Amino acid sequence: MISRLEELKSKCETALQNADTVSGIEDVRISYLGKKGVLTDILKGLKDLSNEEKASVGQAANQIKTQITDAIDAKRHALERDEMNAKLVSDTVDVSAPGVGRGSGASHPLHRMEKLIVECLGRIGFSTVSGPEIETEFNNFEALNIPASHPARDMHDTFYMKDGGVLRTHTSPVQIRAMQTMAPPLRILAPGKVFRCDADVSHSPVFHQIEGLLVDKHVSFAELKGTLEFFLRSLFGDSKKVRFRPSYFPFTVPSCEVDLECVMCKGKGCGICKQTGWLEVMGAGMVHRNVFKAVGYDPEEVTGFAFGLGVDRLAMLYYQISDIRLLYENDARFISQFKGAA
Ligand SMILES: [Zn+2]
């Protein structure tokens, strides 16, 4: 029996020498020391031997088991070390190679434009308020003097929600919410996304507006003109000409469109301004008394003016971007050009 054990030991040692991977070592371990391993079998058979044999064979078997276990562990550690060393050699890292840089991002021009507008008008006391993008029809239309039968409803190409709400078609409903919750005087800006159900090369179904509202006693059209001239000249330069043309909006009367001397051709006429020398940049007017009535303000007590402008269009003029789609393509190469811009 002892000689069988010795033979087993030398066979195992040979098998270990031949094993050249960690998994090969594991196979050797299982075949000798596993539940059904050769040595395990012998140890199980000890109980059938005579007491005398049991002592001598048992001692020898345990000794050999310890030796085999140690040999397996030693070989495994050696192989693991070799495998690690081989990996370290093949996976060399050139620490002197230049890294793959991740440049810092840049704010989107729309975001920059909005910030500039808010900062500029903030200097003359306008503070920013916000409202939800899903609005009630009352806040988006009725309260702004656009009843259901009003033809202006058709102009708005509205997205209607299943529950009766609408995606706001302009930021004007934020004025309504502000006036419903705050007493005059009021001087607010409402920047945000607005939605219209039309999309083609020059229209996006979502775009950005900023709405301004000033309400106080005895506010006049002269103050509207002064405020908007200050605003446009702060952004585009003191020498820029600004003109006001009569227009129509349901929620203001009188209403006007505000034109800025073309930023490309400086008034001479070019493709951008369609040879007129002027660019239409915003709409404005004195708040309609029906709007004051809808929010519980007394139109005999207060007057006010409101203005609204498209941030996308203003950003295109300010940064001289030729194609509106560039603003929505999210191309990092385009956006990174505005790093460091005002
Ligand atoms: Zn021009």
Side-chain angles (χ1 to χ4, degrees):
M1 186 57 115
I2 303 277
S3 65
R4 216 182 120 200
L5 281 170
E6 289 295 341
E7 192 189 328
L8 203 77
K9 187 187 158 195
S10 71
K11 264 191 188 169
C12 179
E13 279 166 358
T14 314
L16 271 182
Q17 273 169 16
N18 293 335
D20 51 5
T21 59
V22 172
S23 65
I25 299 282
E26 181 62 10
D27 291 343
V28 174
R29 190 191 66 79
I30 289 168
S31 64
Y32 287 87
L33 302 173
K35 267 185 191 168
K36 292 175 183 168
V38 197
L39 188 61
T40 314
D41 266 357
I42 292 175
L43 287 168
K44 274 182 194 163
L46 281 180
K47 64 181 188 308
D48 302 327
L49 300 177
S50 67
N51 280 346
E52 201 180 310
E53 275 181 318
K54 222 182 260 180
S56 61
V57 175
Q59 201 186 3
N62 276 324
Q63 207 179 354
I64 285 170
K65 186 183 174 185
T66 311
Q67 286 167 352
I68 290 179
T69 308
D70 289 349
I72 287 173
D73 285 348
K75 180 82 193 228
R76 182 192 287 131
H77 287 146
L79 274 181
E80 280 172 352
R81 199 175 52 236
D82 289 351
E83 281 180 12
M84 174 61 81
N85 284 339
K87 202 171 173 213
L88 284 175
V89 170
S90 63
D91 288 359
T92 48
V93 175
D94 181 358
V95 290
S96 65
V100 181
R102 283 193 181 214
S104 57
S107 300
H108 194 281
L110 284 177
H111 180 76
R112 285 171 185 272
M113 193 70 238
E114 183 180 301
K115 204 167 148 222
L116 276 177
I117 296 167
V118 168
E119 274 170 9
C120 175
L121 288 163
R123 294 208 295 275
I124 52 171
F126 282 84
S127 58
T128 305
V129 293
S130 61
E133 290 172 0
I134 297 176
E135 263 296 359
T136 61
E137 284 196 50
F138 177 82
N139 284 347
N140 196 75
F141 294 121
E142 272 94 351
L144 289 157
N145 201 31
I146 315 175
S149 58
H150 201 288
R153 285 242 184 160
D154 292 339
M155 287 157 39
H156 278 226
D157 297 317
T158 313
F159 284 110
Y160 288 91
M161 309 296 289
K162 273 187 187 154
D163 62 4
V166 297
L167 287 183
R168 66 181 180 198
T169 57
H170 45 182
T171 39
S172 309
V174 184
Q175 296 177 14
I176 299 297
R177 287 176 178 269
M179 287 192 283
Q180 280 166 341
T181 52
M182 291 186 270
L186 214 59
R187 206 177 273 225
I188 54 158
L189 289 176
K193 290 192 193 85
V194 301
F195 307 85
R196 301 279 174 99
C197 187
D198 84 34
D200 57 40
V201 286
S202 56
H203 294 88
S204 161
V206 48
F207 51 102
H208 303 76
Q209 275 192 344
I210 289 191
E211 195 90 6
L213 173 72
L214 184 147
V215 182
D216 206 339
K217 287 182 173 156
H218 315 299
V219 178
S220 70
F221 197 87
E223 284 164 271
L224 158 69
K225 284 185 71 178
T227 302
L228 297 185
E229 276 173 3
F230 159 80
F231 164 63
L232 288 172
R233 288 183 179 148
S234 299
L235 281 183
F236 290 95
D238 283 341
S239 59
K240 277 273 169 281
K241 289 188 191 124
V242 176
R243 77 175 182 187
F244 294 78
R245 273 183 297 114
S247 185
Y248 169 79
F249 303 109
F251 31 84
T252 48
V253 62
S255 305
C256 60
E257 297 275 1
V258 187
D259 292 347
L260 176 72
E261 185 187 310
C262 180
V263 293
M264 308 290 176
C265 64
K266 301 187 169 53
K268 290 190 194 80
C270 70
I272 302 293
C273 59
K274 299 193 179 90
Q275 309 305 327
T276 62
W278 294 98
L279 298 163
E280 190 184 311
V281 286
M282 59 207 292
M286 302 305 291
V287 179
H288 198 290
R289 56 190 291 118
N290 287 354
V291 176
F292 284 141
K293 278 192 209 162
V295 295
Y297 280 15
D298 182 355
E300 305 300 327
E301 278 289 308
V302 292
T303 53
F305 64 78
F307 54 90
L309 59 93
V311 181
D312 312 56
R313 175 160 168 78
L314 214 64
M316 288 177 71
L317 298 175
Y318 188 78
Y319 294 115
Q320 311 209 341
I321 299 164
S322 58
D323 188 334
I324 193 168
R325 288 168 294 187
L326 287 168
L327 293 174
Y328 299 105
E329 282 170 353
N330 225 14
D331 186 329
R333 292 169 304 177
F334 167 72
I335 295 170
S336 67
Q337 291 177 52
F338 298 91
K339 234 183 247 184

